[in-house]
Amino acid sequence: MNPYIRYVGERLILLLATIFISMTVVFFVPRMVPGEPMNAIFANMAAVGGSMNAQEMIVEYRVRFGLDRPVWVQYVSFWRELAQGNLGISISNFPSEVSGMLLSALPWTIGLLTVTTVVSWVAGSVIGAVIGWRGRKAGWARLMVPVALVLYTTPYYILALILVFVFAFHWPIFPLSGAYSVGMRPGLNTAFIVDVLRHAVLPALSILLVSLGWWFLSMRSLIISLKGEDYILNAEAMGIKERRILWGYAFRNALLPQTTGLAISLGHIVGGALITEVIFAYPGIGYRIYNAIKSLDYPLIQGGVLLIIISVALANFLIDAAYPLIDPRIRFEGSGGS
Amino acid sequence: MVRSRGILLVSLLLLVTMAVTSACAAAVPAGPSAAELERAQTLNIAVSRPFADPTLFNIYAPGFDRSRTGLGAMVHEYLFYLNMETGEFVPWLAEGYEYNDDYTEITVTLRDGVTWSDGEAFNADDIVFTYEMLRNNPALTWANEANKAVAAVEKIDDLTVKFMLTEPNPRQHLVRETFPAVGVWSGITIQPEHIWRGVEDPVTFKNDPPIGTGPYRLEAATESAFSYVRRDDWWGTEVFGVTPAPVRVNFMHVGPETSVALALSANEIDSPAIAILSPGAFMSVKERNPNVKAWTEEAPYAWYDPCPRALLFQMAKPPMDDPLVRKGISSLIDRDQIVALAYEGATVVTDNVWPEYSGLQPYKDAISDIIADSAVTFNPEAAEQYFTEAGYAKDGDGFWAKDGQRLSPLLMTNGDTPEAMKVTQVIVDQLEAGGVAVQFQPLGGAVVDAAILAGEYDLYGPQAFCPGTIYENMELFHGKFFVPLGEPAPWYERNSFRYANPDYDAAVDAMLIALGENADEATLIDIFRQGMEVWYNDLPVAPLNQAPALVPFNYTYWEGWPSAENPWMMPVNWWATMNLLLTGYESTETGEWIPGIHSAGQ
Amino acid sequence: MAVAPVQDTIVESHKGVLWELQRNRKFTIGGAIFLAMLLTALIAGMMIDPDLRKSGSFPQRLPPGEGTLFGTTSLGQSVAIQLTEAIPNSVQVGLIAAAVGTILGALIGFVSGYFGGKVDAVLRILIDVFLSVPSLLFLILIAALVRGVGVMAMALIIGAFAWPSPARQVRAQVLSLKERGFVQVARLSGMNGMEIILIELMPHMFQWLGANFVNAFIAAVLAESGLSILGLGPSREMTLGMMIYWALNYSAIFQNLWWWWLAPVITLMALFLSLYLVHIGFDEVSNPRLRTEG
């Protein structure tokens, strides 16, 4: 069998194992938390003043959700229903289905994260490579280093709040919150798309600027360390043009660890986006899962985490599959570091 | 070298282009006059959370968000509305009610001419059907309560129904969980029989589109907003001759507190729901936008929520089973400091568990001497006496201890509520300063519910005591709600603190009987005093402060909001009574029509 | 948070490392800033009357200068005094979490890389699983479960999720070292597994681990502040994240109480900056080729 195919096959198995193990953890951990998830339903009702003494209702709803069965039985039936594409019904938002609730939120999160991640990674790497390569010769552009440092150490949410304050309030260029204006109908027309873009700028910027700082710094650091490598010195001695050395040799070699860094940080980026979603009232998955965790809404937690893990694991898988194409040396040794 | 610089420039250009494109998109005007006109006819209410499921419009589904979506106010209506500001019980879908002699039946006459939004007539069949549905589907919200109180509903004719109660209750018409009348939040909502009769499982029914009798219909629903548009064929226009002023009403989620504050300052919203803006943020909004006003012009700005706050003591286990310890702790709490720090001065302290409504003043006056002698004010010297009398002495570090054990109560609170977190921060500091080594545990979500109902706390606060009427708040402490520790109590304020004193219960029972006999106020006050003598001696909870219902209104586009100068209605946009804010109502005292809000400048 | 690229290096003389480090400007400047902040906070904290920490000790919402160094909060506390408690606590979280994560990760990475085979296969899957999973979600879940914990517990919980990154890096490094002959030679000369790990491989990992530690530290402090702002932070101990939480709870940005939220944010930035300098200094010492660059 073609070694590359076998390599990809290995990574595929890893993908499936990841999903399986994570889902098992996500299944059991919330159930170990002391608390009655049914209370989420009744808290809703009681908050508007009703349903005292709802013991009978708790019992009835437990049956409806299958929570009266032993945990192992629930576990098995969870996988069985998953195979049929049924993510169950949300407890705290009964009778809404989990799949409906998540799928409507998913595009916003994916859209926001994909765009910001790709743009910040590409831009940061390119700018970082240039500044790193030119070293002292970069002159005023070296100011970017402290700027990047400041940016990357700022917590997402602080930057988000500052952006809201400055660009949505003081100078009302961008909208305060939301994914699109109230009253707009989602559809593939220019007006809607423009509206969505306008609403996405601030949330995207808050994530993008922070990530940009990081990718910039890491690529610059890589390039600097590579500059002294033998093959670089050799190439210079051979009289190869500087920009060719940068892009053809140094950048290509730095790309691998930079890509590794991207894969490693995907899980983290999702976490940061959660808080951003909260501040901008962006209707993504993060906020939904956060509320689900608080109310111990098992099906919603499971569904939400499943979607995120699939996305991240899939992204990792694609990056891993691309490794050998970037660096032939890595080809068949499995997951590489640098 | 050139190419490196080139690539650098290209990348920067990319970023700049993105920014510029977005800015250009932002600068495209949407036709200022058209947008302005629409805004002036729209009412925007900000709510605290996004809408989890914008496809569910079934008010009886347990997961349905009854208050934030506005469905109960805009689309549905009720037989009667209680205006707690003026005390009027306003007939709406009904014209009147009458009890029989022993208070086991209520006969209600319905109004003629009421129609559903699809044209069908609203009549007794709908009411009979709704209660049937509740009886057959105990999983629906409030089915439990309704079925316990109402045995059956009988149709006398198209415009008359008779409610048969399971036991005599002269106040049944005020119990919104069992009777279709509302004062606060919402209640039993009558559904159209011709739509719901064919529904297989009402618990999972989506009810799309929701049919109601109200003046608005649901135009669109997303995670961020529920949008309503005014109906031309509302029955009230013909019968009453009025039309609510706003053409559109949006219940929208704009984000956390800061975003709401910004939106309010920028006139993007007209009013936020309760508990979103903190007093400090409100004052900043006022500085930026003088058109934003709350109930009063001066501090404390807030309208008083009917549910005062108190600190609960867990009386079923030591150390809070000792009244001396309870009084000691209550005396260590500096309520003025709580108001200043946690509420930023936006409310007042309280020494009882009833709201500051003028109608209740005679009752409070009658017990003022009892209160003066009780441990409900900040008095550190008295606290020392109480603890010493209870057998405690200060140990080497200055903390109260007995038999080698420190007094170390567990204070739980709801960590998700900013108000609770702020108040408990202050209380913990005060208790520690007074020598009580309190352990603090904030919990959240489903976990806190389970713990509180099971009574796993020593102290819990701040707890709201609703609904705020004399009898109902007294009843919360009744021993009939006592359950052993570990079993879930009926609710937080309904005796999760396990108070059981037969003398007190006797007073409460006597009060119910007296109300049923329509006793005069003097008798009621007398009974009240008897109960309160026992209550203050036991001190089952430590009253803290009135709850600030800070609801700012933006007068830029809409005027006529209720305020301290013009208290014609409760200033609430999160209860089902909100529709009266828009339509107005006929005063039961004067017969005049009290108008709802109108466009600014008219 | 991606791991900073750690260089492939050989440190020849151990004695020389420490000497080199203290000669390196970036390392010393970074270290000095960090220690200065920490020590100032610790010493000042010890000298302050503990009663002054309570809410209501100062007039509310004072800007800096009117009697207090950094102003006061809406709860009537001094921002400066809060910092003396917050800095050591946040540093504690970072240190413990980073230590737990790095040591645990290094161990797992070593074992996986060195022993190879089935052990490696299993551990590798575990590492990748935990890397893919957004740890913040699980942190939220666990923090919601054990709510009301102190700084130590938070540090341990965060540390428990910090190991995959160093593990992956260490494993890769061990794999590459294995190829380079150290291990072969050591085996030939009769050393057993444990000895090889400790005596031959460890010293080369020293600087790797150092870099990983710094990264883990930063990530841990950010995780703590993320959890705190969601309201899941330590309930009675002040950390930089909790200071931000309270500031946001009282709408400090909107109310123009800039000193309240700016103080912890700038402190965080200063902490990270100083640590980053230390990290770079470490790198430069280990890899002499980096030294001449800016």
Short mmCIF file of all heavy atoms in Angstrom, two decimals, chain B residues 353-370:
data_model
loop_
_atom_site.label_atom_id
_atom_site.label_comp_id
_atom_site.label_asym_id
_atom_site.label_seq_id
_atom_site.Cartn_x
_atom_site.Cartn_y
_atom_site.Cartn_z
N VAL B 353 -40.38 41.70 55.30
CA VAL B 353 -40.34 41.06 53.99
C VAL B 353 -41.49 41.47 53.10
O VAL B 353 -42.01 40.67 52.33
CB VAL B 353 -40.29 39.51 54.11
CG1 VAL B 353 -38.96 39.08 54.68
CG2 VAL B 353 -41.43 38.99 54.94
N TRP B 354 -41.93 42.72 53.22
CA TRP B 354 -42.98 43.22 52.33
C TRP B 354 -42.48 44.45 51.59
O TRP B 354 -41.67 45.21 52.10
CB TRP B 354 -44.25 43.56 53.13
CG TRP B 354 -45.02 42.31 53.44
CD1 TRP B 354 -45.98 41.74 52.68
CD2 TRP B 354 -44.86 41.48 54.59
NE1 TRP B 354 -46.44 40.59 53.27
CE2 TRP B 354 -45.77 40.40 54.45
CE3 TRP B 354 -44.04 41.51 55.71
CZ2 TRP B 354 -45.89 39.38 55.39
CZ3 TRP B 354 -44.16 40.50 56.65
CH2 TRP B 354 -45.06 39.45 56.49
N PRO B 355 -42.98 44.66 50.36
CA PRO B 355 -42.49 45.79 49.56
C PRO B 355 -43.00 47.13 50.08
O PRO B 355 -43.89 47.18 50.92
CB PRO B 355 -43.05 45.51 48.16
CG PRO B 355 -44.22 44.63 48.38
CD PRO B 355 -43.95 43.84 49.62
N GLU B 356 -42.42 48.19 49.53
CA GLU B 356 -42.76 49.54 49.98
C GLU B 356 -43.98 50.09 49.26
O GLU B 356 -43.92 51.17 48.69
CB GLU B 356 -41.58 50.47 49.71
CG GLU B 356 -40.41 50.31 50.63
CD GLU B 356 -40.67 50.92 51.98
OE1 GLU B 356 -41.04 52.10 52.04
OE2 GLU B 356 -40.52 50.21 52.98
N TYR B 357 -45.07 49.38 49.26
CA TYR B 357 -46.27 49.90 48.59
C TYR B 357 -47.15 50.58 49.62
O TYR B 357 -47.36 50.07 50.72
CB TYR B 357 -47.02 48.78 47.88
CG TYR B 357 -46.23 48.18 46.75
CD1 TYR B 357 -46.44 46.87 46.35
CD2 TYR B 357 -45.28 48.92 46.06
CE1 TYR B 357 -45.74 46.31 45.31
CE2 TYR B 357 -44.56 48.37 45.03
CZ TYR B 357 -44.79 47.07 44.65
OH TYR B 357 -44.08 46.52 43.62
N SER B 358 -47.72 51.70 49.23
CA SER B 358 -48.48 52.49 50.20
C SER B 358 -49.63 51.69 50.79
O SER B 358 -50.01 51.89 51.94
CB SER B 358 -48.99 53.77 49.55
OG SER B 358 -49.50 53.47 48.27
N GLY B 359 -50.20 50.78 50.01
CA GLY B 359 -51.32 50.01 50.53
C GLY B 359 -50.97 49.15 51.74
O GLY B 359 -51.82 48.77 52.53
N LEU B 360 -49.68 48.86 51.87
CA LEU B 360 -49.27 47.98 52.97
C LEU B 360 -48.81 48.76 54.19
O LEU B 360 -48.51 48.17 55.22
CB LEU B 360 -48.13 47.07 52.50
CG LEU B 360 -48.42 46.24 51.25
CD1 LEU B 360 -47.20 45.42 50.87
CD2 LEU B 360 -49.59 45.32 51.50
N GLN B 361 -48.77 50.06 54.08
CA GLN B 361 -48.22 50.85 55.18
C GLN B 361 -48.96 50.67 56.50
O GLN B 361 -48.33 50.55 57.55
CB GLN B 361 -48.19 52.34 54.77
CG GLN B 361 -47.23 53.18 55.59
CD GLN B 361 -45.83 52.60 55.64
OE1 GLN B 361 -45.29 52.14 54.64
NE2 GLN B 361 -45.26 52.60 56.82
N PRO B 362 -50.29 50.62 56.51
CA PRO B 362 -50.98 50.44 57.80
C PRO B 362 -50.55 49.17 58.53
O PRO B 362 -50.42 49.16 59.76
CB PRO B 362 -52.46 50.34 57.42
CG PRO B 362 -52.58 50.92 56.08
CD PRO B 362 -51.25 50.79 55.42
N TYR B 363 -50.27 48.12 57.76
CA TYR B 363 -49.82 46.89 58.40
C TYR B 363 -48.46 47.09 59.05
O TYR B 363 -48.21 46.64 60.17
CB TYR B 363 -49.72 45.76 57.35
CG TYR B 363 -51.06 45.29 56.85
CD1 TYR B 363 -51.70 45.96 55.80
CD2 TYR B 363 -51.68 44.19 57.41
CE1 TYR B 363 -52.92 45.53 55.35
CE2 TYR B 363 -52.90 43.74 56.95
CZ TYR B 363 -53.53 44.42 55.92
OH TYR B 363 -54.74 44.00 55.46
N LYS B 364 -47.58 47.76 58.33
CA LYS B 364 -46.24 47.94 58.87
C LYS B 364 -46.26 48.86 60.08
O LYS B 364 -45.53 48.66 61.05
CB LYS B 364 -45.33 48.52 57.79
CG LYS B 364 -45.17 47.60 56.61
CD LYS B 364 -44.06 48.06 55.72
CE LYS B 364 -44.05 47.27 54.43
NZ LYS B 364 -43.00 47.73 53.54
N ASP B 365 -47.12 49.88 60.02
CA ASP B 365 -47.21 50.77 61.18
C ASP B 365 -47.63 50.00 62.41
O ASP B 365 -47.15 50.25 63.51
CB ASP B 365 -48.22 51.89 60.89
CG ASP B 365 -47.69 52.86 59.86
OD1 ASP B 365 -46.44 52.92 59.71
OD2 ASP B 365 -48.50 53.53 59.20
N ALA B 366 -48.51 49.04 62.21
CA ALA B 366 -49.05 48.31 63.36
C ALA B 366 -48.00 47.45 64.05
O ALA B 366 -48.17 47.08 65.20
CB ALA B 366 -50.21 47.43 62.89
N ILE B 367 -46.93 47.11 63.34
CA ILE B 367 -45.94 46.25 64.00
C ILE B 367 -44.63 46.99 64.25
O ILE B 367 -43.60 46.37 64.55
CB ILE B 367 -45.65 44.97 63.19
CG1 ILE B 367 -45.16 45.33 61.78
CG2 ILE B 367 -46.87 44.09 63.14
CD1 ILE B 367 -44.64 44.13 61.03
N SER B 368 -44.64 48.30 64.13
CA SER B 368 -43.39 49.03 64.25
C SER B 368 -42.74 48.83 65.61
O SER B 368 -41.52 48.82 65.75
CB SER B 368 -43.59 50.52 63.97
OG SER B 368 -44.63 51.01 64.78
N ASP B 369 -43.54 48.66 66.66
CA ASP B 369 -42.93 48.46 67.97
C ASP B 369 -42.27 47.09 68.05
O ASP B 369 -41.22 46.92 68.68
CB ASP B 369 -43.97 48.63 69.07
CG ASP B 369 -45.14 47.70 68.88
OD1 ASP B 369 -45.48 47.41 67.72
OD2 ASP B 369 -45.73 47.27 69.89
N ILE B 370 -42.91 46.10 67.45
CA ILE B 370 -42.30 44.76 67.44
C ILE B 370 -40.95 44.81 66.73
O ILE B 370 -39.94 44.26 67.19
CB ILE B 370 -43.20 43.74 66.71
CG1 ILE B 370 -44.56 43.68 67.36
CG2 ILE B 370 -42.54 42.37 66.71
CD1 ILE B 370 -45.50 42.70 66.69
#
